[in-house]
Amino acid sequence: MKRPILIHPDPRLKKVCAPVADISDDLRQLADDMLETMYDAPGIGLAAPQIGVLERLIVLDCVKEEGAAARPLVMFNPRILAASDETNVYEEGCLSIPEQYAEVTRPRVVDVEWIDRDGKVRSETFDGLWATCVQHEIDHLDGKLFIDYLKPLKRQMITRKMQKLKRERARL
Ligand SMILES: [Zn+2]
């Protein structure tokens, strides 16, 4: 089932999310709903707080090539074990901040550990777009948005645009 995505500014997007204890069927269903919502948007990543659930769960799939097989990843309690000194700059966007993009500098390579859909602990090294995406999504679990990396003036400009967008949507 597709879920509505919260739009910034929203207090739920600023909260630190709680770790998940057991991977229940309810949580698996939530992860499936998040993947459906993400693919439908369309987007390459989604964090649980973006649909108003304050738990440490993210989903992502950064396969972008036309015709390539999808690679949906479900990560409960993801954490970054190590990050490279070398950085990468990507123009980032966010499903909670529609149609706004800005360059963000992050470590180019990260080692991430998480619990998968079956409750197994997994780890993997991510590079390039995957590394940027997984860091962006984990930030959401700590109440951090990509615009928090921007200069205050730019951040305020984007926030005002989002407030206007929300007023317009509320009138519909
Ligand atoms: Zn985001």
Side-chain angles (χ1 to χ4, degrees):
M1 187 184 70
K2 231 180 80 184
R3 310 275 196 114
I5 297 173
L6 301 181
I7 303 297
H8 164 75
D10 187 299
R12 288 166 288 182
L13 294 172
K14 305 303 289 177
K15 295 274 197 294
V16 175
C17 298
V20 170
D22 284 304
I23 313 305
S24 60
D25 284 345
D26 284 351
L27 282 172
R28 271 188 275 271
Q29 184 59 53
L30 175 66
D32 292 344
D33 286 355
M34 284 171 58
L35 280 169
E36 188 182 340
T37 304
M38 177 191 83
Y39 284 124
D40 179 77
I44 58 172
L46 188 69
Q50 291 182 275
I51 57 163
V53 176
L54 301 181
E55 297 194 78
R56 303 189 79 84
L57 162 61
I58 64 172
V59 298
L60 61 158
D61 183 351
C62 299
V63 174
K64 280 183 127 183
E65 300 80 28
E66 203 64 48
R71 197 195 172 213
L73 283 180
V74 170
M75 297 184 175
F76 294 100
N77 301 343
R79 58 192 192 101
I80 292 168
L81 302 176
S84 63
D85 290 331
E86 195 189 339
T87 57
N88 220 352
V89 180
Y90 264 104
E91 187 162 75
E92 295 189 24
C94 180
L95 293 176
S96 293
I97 310 172
E99 284 165 48
Q100 301 299 318
Y101 303 91
E103 287 189 339
V104 177
T105 303
R106 298 183 189 268
R108 191 179 73 82
V109 184
V110 286
D111 294 335
V112 181
E113 184 184 82
W114 71 94
I115 299 169
D116 72 9
R117 211 178 167 285
D118 302 316
K120 288 203 198 79
V121 177
R122 291 179 53 183
S123 65
E124 190 171 323
T125 300
F126 294 98
D127 193 350
L129 181 60
W130 284 89
T132 286
C133 184
V134 77
Q135 291 175 79
H136 173 124
E137 300 311 330
I138 291 173
D139 272 354
H140 272 298
L141 305 181
D142 294 315
K144 195 165 184 183
L145 302 172
F146 83 91
I147 56 171
D148 293 329
Y149 292 94
L150 310 180
K151 292 198 173 74
L153 206 63
K154 172 100 176 161
R155 182 163 66 238
Q156 285 155 18
M157 200 184 75
I158 291 177
T159 298
R160 276 198 298 272
K161 279 185 188 167
M162 290 302 105
Q163 285 164 332
K164 184 164 173 277
L165 176 75
K166 287 175 83 168
R167 281 197 302 272
E168 283 166 3
R169 286 189 180 183
R171 274 203 295 270
L172 291 175

